[in-house]
Amino acid sequence: MKITLLMCFLSLSLSLIFSLISMMISKKTMLDKEKLSPYECGFNPFSSSRIPFSLRFFLISIIFLIFDVEITLLLPIPFILFYKFSILTFSLFMIILLFGLLYEWNEGALEWAN
């Protein structure tokens, strides 16, 4: 019990000492407005950074992520097709993805321009 308490105290004190040393070393001496601004190139922003972006861009990026994960899950399929349960799982996975693709196609989310 004493050893465990000693180890906990030692690890806590070492963590505290290293954190304090890190804070003292990393103190920045020169804090000016240009250094703290989010634009590091030196130019003033031309417009507000809070403008809304296109919802179509968001939908296309989500579709890309979904199909990117799909490819990652489909790559090992030839190696596991020896098992009967894996064929059923693979078929169910492909049917769900196909219905999702058809839904997106019917909603018009796959069209770039009207």
Side-chain angles (χ1 to χ4, degrees):
M1 182 71 185
K2 291 181 180 182
I3 293 177
T4 306
L5 187 62
L6 179 66
M7 293 300 285
C8 287
F9 178 73
L10 183 65
S11 63
L12 182 67
S13 62
L14 279 177
S15 299
L16 185 65
I17 289 170
F18 286 141
S19 296
L20 289 174
I21 290 173
S22 173
M23 280 194 256
M24 286 190 303
I25 290 175
S26 70
K27 276 290 188 193
K28 296 186 182 196
T29 58
M30 192 168 187
L31 299 175
D32 55 0
K33 183 179 172 185
E34 287 81 18
K35 293 282 187 181
L36 294 176
S37 70
Y39 299 100
E40 296 177 2
C41 63
F43 294 108
N44 289 331
F46 297 117
S47 64
S48 174
S49 63
R50 299 288 182 190
I51 58 173
F53 61 94
S54 173
L55 188 60
R56 292 185 83 70
F57 175 74
F58 178 72
L59 287 175
I60 294 295
S61 63
I62 294 297
I63 291 170
F64 171 75
L65 286 175
I66 289 171
F67 286 110
D68 192 36
V69 170
E70 169 201 353
I71 294 300
T72 304
L73 292 174
L74 288 179
L75 281 176
I77 291 299
F79 299 110
I80 63 170
L81 280 180
F82 298 112
Y83 305 107
K84 292 180 182 177
F85 181 70
S86 65
I87 294 173
L88 178 67
T89 307
F90 172 70
S91 301
L92 183 65
F93 178 69
M94 288 303 294
I95 288 171
I96 290 171
L97 284 177
L98 184 64
F99 280 134
L101 177 63
L102 291 175
Y103 176 76
E104 291 293 333
W105 195 353
N106 286 335
E107 291 292 318
L110 300 177
E111 297 175 9
W112 284 94
N114 290 336

